[in-house]
Amino acid sequence: MPEIPIEKFDALAHFLNEAGIPFERNFSIKEYTSFRIGGTAEIFARPKNAQQAAVLQKSIFTDRIPHYYLGGGSNILVSDNPYAGVVIYYDAGEDFLILEQSADFLRVSIPASARAPLAGKRISALGYTGMEFLTTIPGYIGGAVIQNAGCYGQELCDITESVEFCLNGEVITIPKEEADFSYRSSRFKTETESLITSLTVRLSRGDESQIRSRIEDYKQRRLNSQPRNRRSAGSVFKNPHSSVSEKKAWQLIDQCGLRGTVAGDAEISSEHCNFIVNRGKATSQDVYSLICLIEETVYSQTGIRLEREVVLLGDF
Ligand SMILES: Cc1cc2nc3c(=O)[nH]c(=O)nc-3n(C[C@H](O)[C@H](O)[C@H](O)COP(=O)(O)OP(=O)(O)OC[C@H]3O[C@@H](n4cnc5c(N)ncnc54)[C@H](O)[C@@H]3O)c2cc1C
């Protein structure tokens, strides 16, 4: 990628100031990722609403400035190398808006910047069912849309009514049917220029004690199955389609003898071997080398190509 002259970033910084969009220069991204890994971004911008996001997007698209979108950082591995571009961290807060509420159902609009577990808890507490699974998935609502996040037999698409996003400086809303949701994917996985700004969900009235006990059950299942006190980005690989293998990704990794393998300060978790954990001082290269090792070993021993769930940002 051609180097971007520093004057372009200075001009963008001036533009952001004029537009009242908060930003920082040479900003360390690491604390914004669940791995606690990552270098600096030349500009880290925090648009506060869809209109600010649209204005910013238009400017960086016109000036062809490299950029990426960051949510809760719980499904990404960010390179340790400085990023000569703009990280856009949509920052519209946590407050959801009730659009319609009846004895039977609830329609609610949630900003992409809301933490998914918190939104799940707060909305479930209103006595409507469908968001319980989100209470155990780290990250923000925007990231959950991109990945069609899911667990325990439920996925975000089950409750989605519509998605709002910015593209080419315009704010667009599409119904769920146009979002092309599938297992850990949506159309936004390939249309990477779209910035998700909000999600509208529709939930049914539920029994409050059952909602509470489902949330507690999911919490316990997590505690029993995932590495504790270790930084990670959750499952690194998607489970293969059942037509390819009946085995889950972790079973393939395990059968290849990779559980517990270490590179630098990163480890293929001995508790859940589809997780790679940062033992404290892991670099992005430590984690990346384990990702490549898993891919190569599983392919050479089983003929199955695992597909990454974790997204890589920056140079590797
Ligand atoms: C311990 C642990 C357990 C996990 N368990 C699960 C699980 O059970 N099920 C599951 O599905 N996932 C799981 N994950 C992965 C992750 O939490 C989810 O995929 C989550 O939805 C990602 O959201 P995020 O905001 O953190 O996205 P990020 O990691 O910030 O970003 C992920 C991708 O989405 C893009 N993106 C983020 N926000 C936006 C936006 N507003 N607009 C456009 N693009 C955007 C990024 O550029 C990147 O490509 C787990 C992660 C951890 C650490």
Side-chain angles (χ1 to χ4, degrees):
M1 192 175 289
E3 204 168 300
I4 308 292
I6 197 71
E7 293 75 22
K8 268 205 171 182
F9 290 112
D10 293 342
L12 180 63
H14 180 72
F15 171 84
L16 290 166
N17 263 327
E18 295 280 297
I21 301 173
F23 70 96
E24 273 117 319
R25 297 287 298 258
N26 271 319
F27 187 78
S28 170
I29 308 165
K30 167 165 153 171
E31 295 300 321
Y32 284 73
T33 74
S34 56
F35 262 132
R36 293 292 188 273
I37 291 175
T40 52
E42 185 59 50
I43 290 187
F44 188 89
R46 306 166 185 264
K48 295 281 175 193
N49 52 48
Q51 287 65 36
Q52 284 195 346
V55 164
L56 168 58
Q57 207 183 41
K58 201 164 187 181
S59 166
I60 55 174
F61 283 15
T62 308
D63 288 341
R64 297 171 179 273
I65 298 181
H67 54 276
Y68 61 70
Y69 304 136
L70 177 66
S74 66
N75 208 25
I76 55 171
L77 174 64
V78 179
S79 168
D80 291 317
N81 300 326
Y83 178 60
V86 182
V87 170
I88 301 181
Y89 179 76
Y90 188 63
D91 200 4
E94 308 264 4
D95 290 343
F96 55 83
L97 179 69
I98 294 178
L99 303 172
E100 216 178 334
Q101 184 169 18
S102 76
D104 300 327
F105 71 90
L106 177 75
R107 290 177 58 238
V108 53
S109 164
I110 315 166
S113 50
R115 282 169 286 173
L118 184 63
K121 270 182 213 145
R122 289 169 72 192
I123 297 171
S124 300
L126 300 174
Y128 295 86
T129 181
M131 287 189 76
E132 296 92 326
F133 75 101
L134 272 183
T135 60
T136 59
I137 301 184
Y140 296 173
I141 288 293
V145 171
I146 304 288
Q147 307 285 94
N148 186 21
C151 58
Y152 309 127
Q154 278 183 286
E155 296 177 308
L156 194 77
C157 62
D158 299 336
I159 52 170
T160 298
E161 188 176 283
S162 63
V163 177
E164 183 195 84
F165 59 97
C166 290
L167 184 60
N168 296 322
E170 269 183 68
V171 183
I172 302 164
T173 303
I174 54 162
K176 160 196 175 155
E177 293 70 31
E178 290 177 26
D180 298 342
F181 285 118
S182 60
Y183 170 59
R184 295 299 166 271
S185 189
S186 67
R187 72 185 243 186
F188 304 107
K189 281 286 238 188
T190 45
E191 294 174 20
T192 53
E193 293 295 7
S194 303
L195 172 70
I196 310 297
T197 47
S198 78
L199 167 76
T200 297
V201 297
R202 186 188 171 101
L203 308 171
S204 315
R205 168 69 73 189
D207 177 273
E208 287 182 28
S209 73
Q210 282 180 11
I211 290 172
R212 275 197 301 274
S213 72
R214 263 195 295 276
I215 291 176
E216 186 53 32
D217 173 45
Y218 295 160
K219 187 174 147 193
Q220 288 310 322
R221 287 209 234 171
R222 289 276 165 174
L223 288 173
N224 295 335
S225 66
Q226 290 188 353
R228 296 190 195 191
N229 309 320
R230 287 274 194 241
R231 298 285 178 187
S232 78
S235 295
V236 177
F237 294 99
K238 296 181 185 183
N239 290 320
H241 192 270
S242 55
S243 62
V244 175
S245 170
E246 285 304 320
K247 292 191 172 155
K248 297 206 183 279
W250 75 263
Q251 291 170 309
L252 294 165
I253 297 168
D254 206 16
Q255 100 180 32
C256 291
L258 293 170
R259 186 184 283 270
T261 306
V262 167
D265 216 16
E267 177 193 308
I268 299 173
S269 169
S270 33
E271 289 161 273
H272 185 321
C273 59
N274 194 16
F275 279 44
I276 293 176
V277 294
N278 176 1
R279 303 196 303 181
K281 296 197 172 103
T283 63
S284 58
Q285 280 306 324
D286 294 340
V287 177
Y288 184 62
S289 68
L290 288 178
I291 293 176
C292 296
L293 176 73
I294 292 173
E295 286 171 343
E296 283 155 22
T297 313
V298 169
Y299 181 63
S300 69
Q301 291 194 23
T302 69
I304 295 167
R305 285 197 194 279
L306 288 176
E307 197 185 332
R308 290 177 196 167
E309 184 174 322
V310 162
V311 179
L312 267 47
L313 296 178
D315 300 330
F316 285 88

